[in-house]
Amino acid sequence: MPYAQPLWRQIRDDLRAKIRAGIYPPGSKLPSARLLAEEYDTSHVTVRRALDSMIELGELVGRMGIGVFVAETTEQRS
């Protein structure tokens, strides 16, 4: 029997889909972890885990005191 994917991974995958769909285009600021936690009906810690995993992979950029932004792609930086 397949096991359920952890919620933070589901959130990460959903955020990736929204980025691909252009809902969050490169350079755009994501809603706060608190707002995303309300949207996904979970704790901000779970949302932070999803965001942190994407930051580690370079998909998002965290700016202390400002927020989390969708990373610019290499092609768009040129």
Side-chain angles (χ1 to χ4, degrees), residues 51-65:
L51 296 175
D52 288 345
S53 72
M54 295 176 76
I55 289 169
E56 288 176 17
L57 293 172
E59 298 169 303
L60 299 176
V61 177
R63 297 189 181 133
M64 186 68 84

Side-chain angles (χ1 to χ4, degrees), residues 10-63:
Q10 293 174 38
I11 293 168
R12 179 198 62 196
D13 292 347
D14 188 57
L15 289 172
R16 284 177 174 162
K18 289 179 177 180
I19 291 168
R20 280 192 305 274
I23 296 169
Y24 298 129
S28 67
K29 183 178 178 181
L30 268 57
S32 69
R34 182 182 58 80
L35 290 175
L36 288 171
E38 289 176 15
E39 178 181 338
Y40 291 105
D41 194 26
T42 190
S43 72
H44 79 279
V45 174
T46 301
V47 170
R48 279 297 334 166
R49 186 161 181 196
L51 296 175
D52 288 345
S53 72
M54 295 176 76
I55 289 169
E56 288 176 17
L57 293 172
E59 298 169 303
L60 299 176
V61 177
R63 297 189 181 133

